[in-house]
Amino acid sequence: MADPLRAGAPETQPLRLANVTKRFGTHTAVEDVSLDLRSGEFLCLLGPSGCGKSTLLRLIAGFETPTSGSIGLDGRDLAGLPPHRRPVNMMFQSYALFPHMSVARNIAYGLKGLGLSRAATAERVEGLLRLVRLDGFADRRPDRLSGGQRQRVALARALAREPRVLLLDEPLGALDRSLREETQAELRALQRRLATSFVVVTHDPSEAMTMADRIGVMDRGRLMQVGAAAELYERPANRFVAGLLGDVNLIEGRLGADAAGPTRTVETGLGPIRASAGAALGPGDAVVVALRPERIRLADESGEGLAGRVIEVTFLGDRIRRLIRMEDGTVLRASGPGGGPDWPVGADVRLGFAPASAVVLPA
Amino acid sequence: MTPRSARPLRALVRLPPLLWLGAFFLVPFAITLKISLSEPATAMPPYLPVLDWAGGVEGWSSFLEALHFTNFETLAGDALYRDAALASLALALTATAILIAIGTPVAYAMARASARWQPILVALVVVPFWTSFLIRVYAWIAILKPEGLLNAGLLRLGLIGAPLEILNTQVAVLIGLTYAYLPFMVLPLYAVMSRLDPVLREAASDLGASPTRVFWSVTLPLAAPGLVAGALLCFIPMVGEFIIPDLLGGSETLMLGRVLWGEFFSNRDWPLASAVAVLMLLIVVGPVILFREAETRRGEAAR
């Protein structure tokens, strides 16, 4: 589809946030967020409710004005541009469908003023209805649609103007679980096909991991880390990110005195352990070692590693999770595929892990 | 499931409003209707015919035979009543249009005000009710008369060379109607507008609609029920308004309310006055029925 809004736009970084801060009175909703969105990228903003992710979306859409910092689109500063002049569109969490208009008129609402003929408008609406698989629903009122159908009308309406960036606020939040998983895949496929940049706000880590090219983790107004799911999982920047994506063992300790290298020694209650560390930490700093349960290798009592005793075994189908009490009383979770050696409750085992798979984080 | 014993109780709950309607609306209307069909007479009751309760079926039939439409024929034959009816309609319709034009932006501004201000603004709209309606309308005489506040102000500003003749004209009646009925237009509109989801306005704006288009295409259509309620709430009593045309309108302003007053209290022709009252009711009921029809049809279209 040809898009007048897109003509001549550079192909990289359609959206650039630089040091964006938003305060409401004394409350800082968004604090010093800088972010570059790549063209055609699917970015998820992930975080608990109240972390500022929705405010960030509203700042981009123009419903809120940043207290400081700038938001640029294709190299143009959006400051002072009202929402109706911004080449971004938003899909609202509540869908915000116009109750007094049919599905077709809802979708066509944004097409007015684009200089399309009546026939071209009808054609575009029809195409969008097909895209979201709602052919035949053109004349329905929103209150006569199911939740999933409403969600798709909202999506079609937000896509109608072919925005440079589509902002989606908890787009699947109102759907029930089975429909949500199905829709995640659909949304992802749709985004690939349209090659439009998506910024999706969600509080569901598995949803973010399923859909996103990159995930931006937010907490208390700050953007903690941006990266692909695997990167956030393997190399979390702090314990919040580590804990948000998947299960993790956090072992407290102090950084040893050895010189900075790819792996360093951490003095912990379990004894000295080696783990990979960033350079920003100095000897003696309080740290935690983040260790994923599936990175822990178990061995018999006679083997190498840290000594512990199995206190609980849970069969989860695709894997088996064991709780292991270490000699100092710390309980670690270890998980692995079934079918290996059977260490029942009460078995004495040895724990090992590759230093590269454990990450030293600031405490 | 409702226990069987609760059913008579529920019927009992419905009784008071029905009794109220019967005692204060249906019975008086039946009496008015009967008098309007009686012999024209410039006197006190009883008005002929009188129903002979002891006469049985025969009494009823002779009573019904004696009823006639003479009073309504008089109304139809005399241009005075037709003109008064048309003038009342025209004034009420014009005033309703002005009230919509003024009330809509006022209600919208109130609905958009901050949560702290909204109760204060509602109170400001309601506060005039603390003063008697009669006194508030009377005060307009002091404002509108040739040497009144309005003319004095305009003269001092040099906008006019000689005092305007406003008092005792239709303009004065329109000003009075607009002033007196504005709260009844603003409050239902505000009630609907303040409950509209602001996200809908944001969505419209996000889809490229200018603030003007957002108002016309989203806010106003969704506020339509409040607009219709306000318009009916104003139009119906304005058709029969007596005090405002009596105090502010000149002798040439003939509204049904004044004609009604004249027939009842000056001419003492109760049967004719009752016929005027019935006519007024018909004029007022018309728009209500049309509105109900439109609502039903819209409700069906949405299904």
Side-chain angles (χ1 to χ4, degrees):
Chain A
M1 283 189 269
D3 180 4
L5 294 171
R6 208 171 284 181
E11 275 309 299
T12 52
Q13 289 171 354
L15 186 69
R16 164 166 278 180
L17 308 185
N19 310 103
V20 173
T21 295
K22 175 65 184 177
R23 288 192 191 91
F24 296 103
T26 55
H27 171 67
T28 304
V30 172
E31 192 170 2
D32 197 27
V33 168
S34 295
L35 177 68
D36 280 333
L37 186 70
R38 296 170 191 150
S39 186
E41 182 178 35
F42 197 123
L43 181 90
C44 273
L45 291 173
L46 174 66
S49 63
C51 73
K53 54 197 191 315
S54 289
T55 305
L56 196 58
L57 222 53
R58 294 174 58 80
L59 284 164
I60 299 169
F63 298 126
E64 309 287 354
T65 313
T67 309
S68 63
S70 71
I71 301 172
L73 194 81
D74 297 327
R76 187 165 65 126
D77 192 352
L78 292 182
L81 218 55
H84 65 276
R85 299 233 172 82
R86 297 193 176 198
V88 298
N89 284 124
M90 179 139 156
M91 185 183 147
F92 293 83
Q93 183 170 11
S94 63
Y95 309 146
L97 299 178
F98 304 127
H100 58 302
M101 295 183 194
S102 66
V103 166
R105 283 189 58 212
N106 261 287
I107 295 174
Y109 190 88
L111 297 175
K112 201 173 172 179
L114 291 185
L116 294 174
S117 69
R118 189 178 287 256
T121 301
E123 198 178 317
R124 177 92 67 101
V125 170
E126 215 169 290
L128 286 159
L129 281 170
R130 260 201 309 280
L131 186 73
V132 296
R133 297 183 293 106
L134 280 176
D135 338 40
F137 287 84
D139 297 325
R140 285 276 188 102
R141 293 273 178 140
D143 63 351
R144 302 280 294 153
L145 297 175
S146 72
Q149 288 166 339
R150 267 181 234 171
Q151 190 260 359
R152 280 163 19 220
V153 175
L155 183 62
R157 189 179 69 173
L159 283 168
R161 289 165 68 84
E162 296 182 355
R164 282 289 286 145
V165 177
L166 185 66
L167 311 168
L168 302 95
D169 191 359
E170 298 275 4
L172 312 176
L175 303 181
D176 58 46
R177 194 186 167 81
S178 63
L179 191 57
R180 192 156 67 220
E181 278 169 11
E182 187 186 317
T183 313
Q184 284 170 6
E186 265 180 45
L187 204 57
R188 176 77 244 218
L190 187 73
Q191 188 269 341
R192 286 238 171 86
R193 192 137 55 95
L194 298 172
T196 303
S197 305
F198 277 28
V199 179
V200 177
V201 156
T202 178
H203 66 274
D204 180 351
S206 76
E207 186 171 296
M209 291 169 97
T210 307
M211 297 192 298
D213 293 315
R214 283 195 303 160
I215 299 170
V217 176
M218 289 189 72
D219 184 38
R220 282 169 290 173
R222 287 186 166 274
L223 188 61
M224 294 292 188
Q225 191 176 6
V226 187
E231 193 183 329
L232 300 191
Y233 188 83
E234 302 289 355
R235 291 277 166 270
N238 54 41
R239 55 196 297 173
F240 178 80
V241 177
L244 194 60
L245 301 182
D247 196 7
V248 70
N249 294 297
L250 294 171
I251 306 158
E252 291 181 7
R254 277 188 188 282
L255 207 53
D258 53 345
T263 65
R264 299 169 75 170
T265 305
V266 179
E267 299 295 341
T268 71
L270 312 175
I273 58 179
R274 289 195 71 79
S276 63
L281 297 162
D285 284 355
V287 294
V288 287
V289 176
L291 181 59
R292 298 285 176 193
E294 74 275 14
R295 302 292 185 197
I296 296 179
R297 287 187 314 264
L298 295 182
D300 285 323
E301 209 180 345
S302 55
E304 293 267 300
L306 306 161
R309 175 171 289 168
V310 176
I311 58 169
E312 194 182 308
V313 180
T314 312
F315 178 71
L316 294 168
D318 54 344
R319 66 209 150 86
I320 293 171
R321 191 181 63 198
R322 290 186 178 82
L323 296 190
I324 294 153
R325 174 166 293 136
M326 309 303 290
E327 281 173 340
D328 70 330
T330 315
V331 175
L332 297 181
R333 291 178 299 282
S335 73
D342 179 32
W343 290 289
V345 174
D348 286 315
V349 290
R350 297 272 172 171
L351 271 69
F353 54 89
S357 63
V359 190
V360 180
L361 302 173
Chain B
M1 282 250 286
T2 319
R4 188 169 284 271
S5 60
R7 269 187 211 152
L9 204 71
R10 202 185 293 172
L12 214 65
V13 168
R14 278 194 216 117
L15 208 56
L18 289 178
L19 281 178
W20 178 277
L21 270 180
F24 295 110
F25 179 74
L26 280 181
V27 171
F29 179 70
I31 294 171
T32 309
L33 190 64
K34 191 266 151 187
I35 296 176
S36 77
L37 298 173
S38 302
E39 296 281 346
T42 314
M44 294 296 285
Y47 296 101
L48 298 173
V50 175
L51 172 61
D52 178 11
W53 289 99
V57 178
E58 206 176 306
W60 271 98
S61 67
S62 66
F63 169 73
L64 289 176
E65 266 166 37
L67 291 175
H68 50 78
F69 289 92
T70 316
N71 293 310
F72 288 96
E73 280 158 19
T74 311
L75 290 186
D78 194 331
L80 172 85
Y81 301 109
R82 199 188 55 223
D83 290 351
L86 288 177
S88 290
L89 266 180
L91 271 171
L93 281 174
T94 313
T96 305
I98 296 171
L99 283 167
I100 290 173
I102 297 176
T104 309
V106 170
Y108 185 63
M110 285 169 65
R112 292 295 303 269
S114 72
R116 206 155 49 104
W117 272 97
Q118 287 194 20
I120 299 172
L121 293 171
V122 171
L124 285 176
V125 171
V126 179
V127 149
F129 291 121
W130 264 249
T131 310
S132 152
F133 177 71
L134 192 65
I135 290 171
R136 282 185 288 133
V137 176
Y138 195 82
W140 275 96
I141 297 178
I143 297 171
L144 297 177
K145 64 186 176 185
E147 65 277 19
L149 282 172
L150 181 67
N151 276 313
L154 290 175
L155 281 170
R156 176 147 321 165
L157 288 172
L159 292 173
I160 51 170
L164 299 172
E165 278 298 329
I166 303 174
L167 194 63
N168 299 331
T169 65
Q170 302 234 351
V171 176
V173 176
L174 277 178
I175 290 174
L177 289 173
T178 306
Y179 161 76
Y181 284 91
L182 192 59
F184 299 102
M185 178 60 80
V186 167
L187 290 178
L189 259 176
Y190 163 77
V192 174
M193 282 180 168
S194 62
R195 262 177 293 148
L196 291 183
D197 189 350
V199 170
L200 292 177
R201 280 198 300 267
E202 287 185 349
S205 169
D206 185 69
L207 290 166
S210 63
T212 320
R213 191 182 165 218
V214 173
F215 179 80
W216 287 105
S217 65
V218 176
T219 308
L220 201 58
L222 291 176
L227 193 74
V228 172
L232 285 178
L233 221 50
C234 294
F235 175 80
I236 291 171
M238 283 195 300
V239 170
E241 180 58 47
F242 168 72
I243 290 174
I244 293 170
D246 199 54
L247 290 181
L248 304 180
S251 50
E252 83 275 20
T253 315
L254 262 185
M255 285 182 76
L256 275 178
R258 291 183 88 187
V259 172
L260 199 60
W261 172 279
E263 294 299 344
F264 263 115
F265 298 105
S266 304
N267 297 346
R268 303 187 140 249
D269 188 347
W270 282 31
L272 191 64
S274 298
V276 174
V278 171
L279 175 74
M280 204 160 81
L281 191 76
L282 291 178
I283 291 177
V284 162
V285 162
V288 178
I289 292 175
L290 283 178
F291 168 61
R292 291 292 299 268
E293 287 274 300
E295 279 290 284
T296 319
R297 245 178 291 132
R298 208 171 47 175
E300 277 162 5
R303 295 278 108 80

